[in-house]
Amino acid sequence: MLKVGLTGGIASGKTEVSNHFARLGIPVIDTDKISRELVEPGKPALQQIRKQLGEQFLDTEGRLNRKLLRKHIFDNPKARKALENILHPAIRQETEHRLSALETEPYVLLVVPLLVESGLKSMVDRVLLVDAPESLQVARVCRRDSIDEKQAEKILAAQASRSERACIADDVIENSGNLQQLQQQVEKLHKFYLSIGNPSD
C-alpha cells in the first residue's frame, strides 16, 4: 500500500486538501487528530504533560488548555521540545496501528503537519506538500485563530521553513488560488497515486 505523507505549514490548506482526498474515497489518518485524542483526560500523555510542564495547563475539568499551552511552547523552546518528546512517539505508535488496518487500500493519506520535525518521514513513501506564501499563511491563521501577527509569525518560525519542506517533497499543491483550483490539483494527484498504488491495474 502506498503511503502518502501530507504536510505543510500552519494555515497552508492541509485540511481542505485532506478533506477532498477523503471525499474521493481515500482513507485519511490525521496525526493532529491523533494528538488531540492522546491528551484526553485519563490518557497517559496528558499525565506526562501535567507532570513535566505543570498543572496550569489543565482547566478546572482536567482537560488540556490547548490555547495556553500553545502560547507557552512557542515562547519556550525547551517546553516545546519536552512536549514533542511526549507526543511524537505516541503519535507514531498509534499511526502504525491504524495503518495496519488499511493494508488492502490502494493508498492512504497521512496528514503530518510536522513531517520534517517529527521524524515520521520514514513512515511514508511519498511526501505531498501543500504550499502557500508566508504572508498568506499569517493572514489566514490570524483570522482563523483570532491571534495577532506577532504570535502567528512565532508559530511559523518554530516550524520548518518552506524551503526545508520543499526539499523533501515529491509532489506539491500550490494553495494561493481559489478552492476549485485546489481541488483540481487534488484530483490530478489522486489519479496519479491510484496508478502507482495499483501498478497491476
Side-chain angles (χ1 to χ4, degrees):
M1 180 181 62
L2 180 71
K3 295 182 283 293
V4 179
L6 173 67
T7 194
I10 190 166
S12 58
K14 298 180 298 296
T15 300
E16 186 52 52
V17 167
S18 65
N19 285 348
H20 201 50
F21 274 108
R23 285 192 288 268
L24 295 169
I26 297 306
V28 174
I29 298 174
D30 188 332
T31 59
D32 257 2
K33 289 180 181 176
I34 291 173
S35 174
R36 286 193 287 273
E37 291 167 15
L38 289 171
V39 295
E40 285 292 311
K43 297 282 187 174
L46 184 62
Q47 300 309 315
Q48 287 180 270
I49 291 169
R50 181 180 61 81
K51 185 177 177 182
Q52 292 192 34
L53 299 178
E55 296 275 356
Q56 68 269 30
F57 299 110
L58 272 62
D59 65 19
T60 53
E61 296 179 348
R63 292 186 171 277
L64 188 65
N65 185 329
R66 297 176 66 85
K67 191 171 183 180
L68 185 64
L69 180 61
R70 181 170 68 176
K71 185 177 187 309
H72 178 68
I73 64 171
F74 287 116
D75 289 336
N76 298 273
K78 281 186 178 178
R80 186 171 77 245
K81 187 68 179 171
L83 183 66
E84 288 171 354
N85 288 342
I86 293 167
L87 290 179
H88 288 174
I91 290 168
R92 185 185 186 100
Q93 185 177 22
E94 179 60 24
T95 301
E96 288 173 344
H97 173 69
R98 296 187 187 191
L99 277 171
S100 66
L102 296 170
E103 289 178 351
T104 58
E105 299 289 340
Y107 75 93
V108 63
L109 195 73
L110 266 66
V111 184
V112 191
L114 302 179
L115 189 64
V116 175
E117 303 91 330
S118 67
L120 294 177
K121 185 177 179 292
S122 61
M123 295 185 70
V124 303
D125 303 306
R126 292 185 74 85
V127 174
L128 169 56
L129 170 63
V130 185
D131 191 43
E134 286 188 2
S135 58
L136 196 53
Q137 288 177 263
V138 168
R140 285 173 180 165
V141 79
C142 287
R143 186 170 61 247
R144 186 190 74 188
D145 296 351
S146 301
I147 60 175
D148 60 30
E149 279 190 24
K150 188 175 179 183
Q151 185 68 22
E153 286 165 358
K154 271 187 184 177
I155 295 170
L156 256 69
Q159 297 183 341
S161 67
R162 289 176 74 193
S163 60
E164 285 173 318
R165 288 195 192 91
C167 284
I168 68 163
D170 298 292
D171 310 297
V172 179
I173 286 178
E174 295 286 351
N175 186 23
S176 52
N178 60 38
L179 182 60
Q180 184 181 13
Q181 290 169 326
L182 186 72
Q183 291 178 344
Q184 285 171 345
Q185 292 179 80
V186 170
E187 288 161 16
K188 185 177 179 182
L189 280 169
H190 172 61
K191 290 176 183 175
F192 172 61
Y193 293 148
L194 284 176
S195 73
I196 62 174
N198 282 311
S200 60
D201 289 354

